[in-house]
Amino acid sequence: MAWLITGGAGYIGAHVTRVMNGAGEQVVALDDLSAGHAGRLPQGVPLVHGSYLDGALLGRVCAEHGVTGVVHLAARKQVAESVAQPERYYRENVGGLVTLLEAVAEAGVGRMLFSSSAAVYGNPDVDLITEDTPCVPVNPYGETKLAGEWLVRAAGRAHGIATACLRYFNAAGAAAPELADTGVSTIVPMVFDRLTRDEAPRVFGDDHPTPDGTCVRDYLHVADLADAHLAAARRLPRPDASGDLTLNIGRGEGVSVRELLAAIGEATGDRRPPVVEARRPGDAPRAVASAGRAAAELGRRARRGVPEMVSSAWRGWQAHHGS
């Protein structure tokens, strides 16, 4: 019995792989290494170098490793890129998921965890986003994640697969420096990148209807996100029963961009004031999860706060980019 983790050598994927492997689950990672790094994987965890778009490869992996569950993390995930290349996002995020689910059904795999996103909600005008908040995505990335949820649930009903769709909010931090995010596409590494180049961080709009005028988001330590995957995997029914579990994965606490920059200043010692630029189109003033349903279903809450997220991310940034 083994879990196949697609994107298992990526930033989030490697954290999930380590947590599940450390808890005694048998895991195998599938990654094309376009964004992942083999060195992130624990010793003894098999790495299959390839893509989830390759149906024949998926069939062989499921057979050779006795796969009984899948954690599907691999996907295109940049909002701006999705706007510029919607065909690619639908082809890979949705078309690739079709290929994966066909292989899962053919192999008789009974459990499927799908990496979804808060992007499925769009920009709802609510204090806390619950799982029942209407899903109205505002970009192709969010659309593909919502379509992926529909597809996963439909395949689960058709083939008796127990499914979970985990709607991530904003992951940050690192459980160890070698697992840190090496990209520059989310706010914490984007700020680190600017500071490293002796440039001030940027704030996109300081006139939002929030307490300090900057956007408020729900930031979650990636180690807590990985723990949630382990809990969800164990929460799913065994392969002889089907059912769906859809959960927000966040802390349920809002942090403004200015508050986040203050935490980054504490961690790095660089407290230069940010440059304020115009708002970006489509930025919601506030996007914070209601985390109660996940706590009830998984029996756990996020334990790590923003200072730990930022300080651990900074140690990882220094390890990869020099001090």
Side-chain angles (χ1 to χ4, degrees):
M1 297 175 64
W3 286 92
L4 171 64
I5 304 179
T6 70
Y11 166 53
I12 294 174
H15 280 88
V16 173
T17 298
R18 284 204 177 193
V19 163
M20 294 185 69
N21 178 71
E25 300 288 342
Q26 296 297 312
V27 296
V28 55
L30 173 73
D31 205 299
D32 65 8
L33 301 182
S34 60
H37 304 283
R40 287 172 167 158
L41 295 176
Q43 186 174 5
V45 170
L47 170 63
V48 178
H49 184 192
S51 171
Y52 68 96
L53 282 73
D54 185 339
L57 174 63
L58 291 170
R60 291 196 299 272
V61 171
C62 288
E64 291 172 5
H65 293 274
V67 172
T68 56
V70 173
V71 180
H72 182 44
L73 302 167
R76 309 298 305 178
K77 63 177 183 177
Q78 303 303 324
V79 168
E81 183 184 60
S82 79
V83 174
Q85 303 177 40
E87 301 90 348
R88 182 181 187 185
Y89 269 66
Y90 273 86
R91 181 173 60 251
E92 296 192 20
N93 288 6
V94 181
L97 181 57
V98 170
T99 300
L100 175 60
L101 287 168
E102 288 174 340
V104 163
E106 178 67 23
V109 174
R111 289 171 288 174
M112 176 82 172
L113 268 70
F114 176 62
S115 165
S116 189
S117 168
V120 301
Y121 295 113
N123 296 332
D125 184 16
V126 295
D127 186 52
L128 291 177
I129 298 172
T130 75
E131 290 83 354
D132 298 319
T133 298
C135 292
V136 189
V138 295
N139 52 63
Y141 168 67
E143 292 167 2
T144 64
K145 284 298 182 180
L146 183 56
E149 289 191 13
W150 294 339
L151 182 55
V152 164
R153 295 188 196 105
R157 291 190 297 269
H159 304 293
I161 302 168
T163 60
C165 297
L166 304 184
R167 295 171 174 170
Y168 308 170
F169 279 67
N170 300 271
E178 64 271 19
L179 298 184
D181 190 355
T182 57
V184 187
S185 59
T186 57
I187 186 169
V188 173
M190 286 173 66
V191 173
F192 291 162
D193 181 57
R194 290 185 66 86
L195 296 180
T196 300
R197 292 188 282 113
D198 198 29
E199 297 176 4
R202 294 184 296 177
V203 170
F204 294 101
D206 63 354
D207 57 349
H208 293 275
T210 61
D212 66 16
T214 64
C215 292
V216 173
R217 295 290 182 266
D218 190 332
Y219 297 98
L220 173 73
H221 199 297
V222 67
D224 282 317
L225 178 57
D227 290 342
H229 280 78
L230 174 63
R234 290 181 167 176
R235 165 68 175 76
L236 283 181
R238 292 299 175 184
D240 59 349
S242 62
D244 176 69
L245 186 66
T246 298
L247 300 173
N248 288 336
I249 307 297
R251 293 172 62 239
E253 298 179 17
V255 177
S256 75
V257 172
R258 285 199 183 276
E259 290 171 332
L260 183 67
L261 292 178
I264 291 174
E266 288 295 319
T268 64
D270 191 327
R271 298 177 177 84
R272 73 184 77 190
V275 174
V276 178
E277 299 186 5
R279 294 189 193 185
R280 294 179 298 189
D283 268 352
R286 177 181 174 86
V288 180
S290 170
R293 185 177 297 180
E297 291 286 353
L298 304 182
R300 61 172 310 283
R301 287 185 180 272
R303 298 185 290 109
R304 303 160 179 89
V306 170
E308 187 172 350
M309 290 180 221
V310 171
S311 61
S312 65
W314 179 236
R315 289 191 294 272
W317 179 269
Q318 290 178 304
H320 289 283
H321 298 87
S323 58

